[in-house]
Each structure stands twice: as structure tokens, then as C-alpha cells.
Amino acid sequence: ILLRDVPSIAEEDRDQIVRIHARTGLGDVTVRIGNRPVRQARSTDRSSPVTCVLAVDLGGTNLKGAVVSAGAEVLYQDSWPTEREQGPDHVIGRMLRFFDSLARESDRLGLAYSAAGIVVPGAVNESRGIGIAASNLGWRDVPFADLVSRHLQTPVAVGHDIRAAALAEARQGVAKDSAGFFFMSIGTGIGGAIVVDGVPWTGASYLAAEIGHITLTAGTEQCACGRRGCLETVASANAIALRYAAETHVHDVDAALVCQRMQAGDPTAVRVWDAAIQALAEAMQPVLTLVNPGLVVIGGGLSRAGNALLDPLTTAVRHRRTVGLVPEIVLATLGDRAACVGAGLLALDLSIGVS
């Protein structure tokens, strides 16, 4: 199907044309505006296996994976510990084995994967498929696209974990009706994404919105990035657990336990939790002033704390805000699955030729 010289055709109409012809098995579909291809889709002819994509979010604590249908539905999901303490080579090998596990699951479901998506933390060059650096995981210049593509023998999309999570919220989550928003993920580390018209901005060196490395006024703790006083050292889930453990000498603590004890009135937990809230509110101020979003979406593992996080953070931001409106602050509806969903969306975009 070739549509020439029809620049007035709406984006949703182009999408609908592709979906209809792919679903009815009329062969390969290319939609063009003038001479520029804007959508491609392969047929899902019944004589061939129905396709899916494989998606992996390589996080500092866990690998999260999914088999995602051509309609962007998560059909299967799994999680493995990252085991980052064993070094970057081990983590990369483990990531490839995790993809193997997802591939076996797609076979069990009777699906043939047409692409894969991998999203990673740190500085990421999406266009070249390279993980430039990740201080929490210790790698530099890892060619993820080439590694995974050779391993699976399929096209691979590579993305930044936080930008991928923001993309998922923009398309499928709480921000799908928003023209633009700021996304902040709080987990093992803290990252951000500025989304305009549904597209996360990368920045000149692929490090836009790295809010976790804004330096706090009273920050003193050493950060994995090499500086002192970064937001991550006080307000990440990992930092909350470490600070509570250091003050109480209690072992095997995580941020969820600190939150539970805070709600129960444990004075140390209350102090550690409040310090994290105040640090988040402080770091958000320059972002809100410069970007002026009407919506802030909070995701990552710590978002599972729900209103125990959202309510005091909203109050703290309101008390500090002096210029411009106080944005609506909401929890991500996709939770800590958002980056994995985003990896699937990137793989789907790649498989149908969307750049």
C-alpha cells in the first residue's frame, strides 16, 4: 500500500491503516507521506507464527523482562536479581541468559519474536545502541545492540531506562493525555525524564534530566558518580535503607521496611524518611522552575509506598515553591514495570519501522 502526496492524512489514520492490513494478513505494509516512509508493519499471516517482542529492563537490583504482543500487551513477565556485586561482565552475561529465558517463553506461547528491546541506566546513546557509562553498574561503552542482536539473531532497540519508563507512561499510563510532563523514577538510583509531545528529550550528551545527581545544599555523602551530596545519596531507595541501617544497626533492611516503620512511628525511620522527602523537594525546585511542567509523574520501586511518599512530597514541594504553579504530582500507573514496558514499546517501534 503506497499513499503518495497526502500530507493531510492524520497520524491516527496512518496507524489504523497499518493495524488493519497487518491484522488481515494482506502482506507487508508501508505507509508513505510523499517519499518518506512513516509506518511499516509485517503481515500476521496465519501460516506463520504470530509475532511478539522481548523486553528487558536491566536495573541495579533486578532484571525485569516481558514478552510483549504486537498490540503492546504484556503476555508474560519475569524478574531475576541483577547480581551487580559480581561485576559488569557477569551482569551482561546474565542479561543475555535472561533474554534466552524470555525467548523460550515466547516459544511456549507459540509466538515468534520479531525484535528485542533492552533499557539500561546511566548515559545511553540510543541511536548507536551503546551504554556509555553506568556508575552503579560499573560499565563503559557496552555495545548492547550488537551483543543482544548477535545473541538472539534479531533487531534490537536500546534505550535509557528512565526515558523508556516515561515513554510507557506517556503512551499507556497516567500521562497519556498530557502534552508534556516531568517523570522522576526513585529506585536503586534516581533519574528523570522531560517529555514533550510524547517524546523524552535526551540532551546533547544523553544525560538530560539526571535529577539524581543534583547536589543538595547540605549534602555530604559520597555518590557513586564520584561527587558528594547528590540527591541519590539521601533519597534513593538504596540510600534510605543504608541510612536507616547505619543509625539502627539493623541488618537486611530495605526501603519498604523503613516506610512501614515510619508509618508505625519509629523515630529513626521518620527522620530518615523525612530527610528523603525534603531532599526530593529541594532537588525538584530547579527542574520545576526551568521546565515549568503541569504534571510530575513519580515512578520506580519507591512509588510502591503510595501516599506515604506522594502526600508529604506534594506538601514539601508546595512549601518550597515560590515561582510559577505547583504542578500536579501523581504516581505512575505502570509502577516499577514502566521501564520494561517501555523497552517493549521501543522494540515494537523498531519492528514496524518507527524511528
Side-chain angles (χ1 to χ4, degrees):
I1 294 175
L2 180 62
L3 305 179
R4 294 186 184 276
D5 303 320
V6 282
S8 62
I9 189 168
E11 184 78 11
E12 59 268 24
D13 294 334
R14 296 198 296 265
D15 288 343
Q16 185 66 17
I17 290 167
V18 170
R19 285 197 298 271
I20 290 171
H21 288 84
R23 186 172 63 247
T24 54
L26 297 180
D28 290 349
V29 177
T30 300
V31 178
R32 294 178 184 268
I33 297 301
N35 293 317
R36 180 174 62 87
V38 294
R39 288 288 189 273
Q40 290 183 324
R42 283 190 283 272
S43 167
T44 54
D45 190 321
R46 294 301 181 186
S47 63
S48 303
V50 178
T51 59
C52 65
V53 297
L54 310 180
V56 167
D57 167 23
L58 199 173
T61 303
N62 292 305
L63 288 153
K64 300 182 183 74
V67 177
V68 181
S69 76
E73 177 187 0
V74 175
L75 304 175
Y76 170 82
Q77 54 189 336
D78 196 8
S79 179
W80 289 8
T82 302
E83 298 181 356
R84 61 175 171 157
E85 67 279 0
Q86 298 191 43
D89 291 341
H90 174 83
V91 169
I92 292 166
R94 190 163 174 78
M95 175 265 297
L96 294 174
R97 292 191 295 275
F98 191 38
F99 266 118
D100 288 338
S101 173
L102 295 172
R104 288 192 295 271
E105 188 61 29
S106 73
D107 288 343
R108 188 189 70 78
L109 293 169
L111 302 173
Y113 57 84
S114 58
I118 171 77
V119 298
V120 300
V124 182
N125 184 328
E126 287 102 331
S127 61
R128 295 179 59 200
I130 294 173
I132 299 170
S135 57
N136 286 341
L137 288 160
W139 65 55
R140 294 192 69 84
D141 298 322
V142 177
F144 282 103
D146 289 344
L147 287 173
V148 179
S149 182
R150 285 200 302 268
H151 190 76
L152 294 176
Q153 294 298 298
T154 197
V156 174
V158 176
H160 181 266
D161 57 351
I162 308 304
R163 289 195 286 271
L167 176 69
E169 290 293 342
R171 290 195 191 175
Q172 297 187 358
V174 70
K176 62 184 178 182
D177 295 323
S178 175
F181 62 98
F182 179 69
F183 180 82
M184 182 165 64
S185 177
I186 312 169
T188 306
I190 300 176
I194 299 166
V195 180
V196 180
D197 294 331
V199 180
W201 183 50
T202 63
S205 57
Y206 312 101
L207 288 168
E210 282 286 352
I211 190 172
H213 297 288
I214 285 182
T215 304
L216 302 171
T217 304
T220 59
E221 297 290 332
Q222 181 75 44
C223 181
C225 74
R227 298 190 304 168
R228 289 188 176 274
C230 292
L231 175 64
E232 277 190 8
T233 67
V234 178
S236 68
N238 193 47
I240 289 169
L242 288 173
R243 286 165 70 90
Y244 182 82
E247 292 193 31
T248 61
H249 306 291
V250 175
H251 301 292
D252 299 323
V253 176
D254 61 13
L257 179 61
V258 178
C259 181
Q260 291 172 10
R261 294 190 174 185
M262 177 273 297
Q263 291 174 306
D266 178 332
T268 304
V270 169
R271 184 167 60 253
V272 169
W273 193 263
D274 184 64
I277 295 294
Q278 296 304 322
L280 289 167
E282 178 184 340
M284 287 171 66
Q285 293 312 303
V287 176
L288 300 183
T289 300
L290 290 170
V291 179
N292 191 31
L295 179 69
V296 174
V297 179
I298 307 295
L302 203 67
S303 67
R304 289 196 297 265
N307 288 335
L309 171 67
L310 188 63
D311 292 347
L313 179 59
T314 300
T315 300
V317 169
R318 184 176 294 115
H319 285 168
R320 288 175 176 268
R321 197 82 180 114
T322 58
V323 177
L325 59 81
V326 176
E328 181 183 8
I329 304 176
V330 300
L331 296 174
T333 53
L334 299 174
D336 61 355
R337 299 184 302 109
C340 186
V341 172
L345 293 172
L346 291 173
L348 286 170
D349 285 353
L350 179 65
S351 71
I352 64 173
V354 178
S355 59

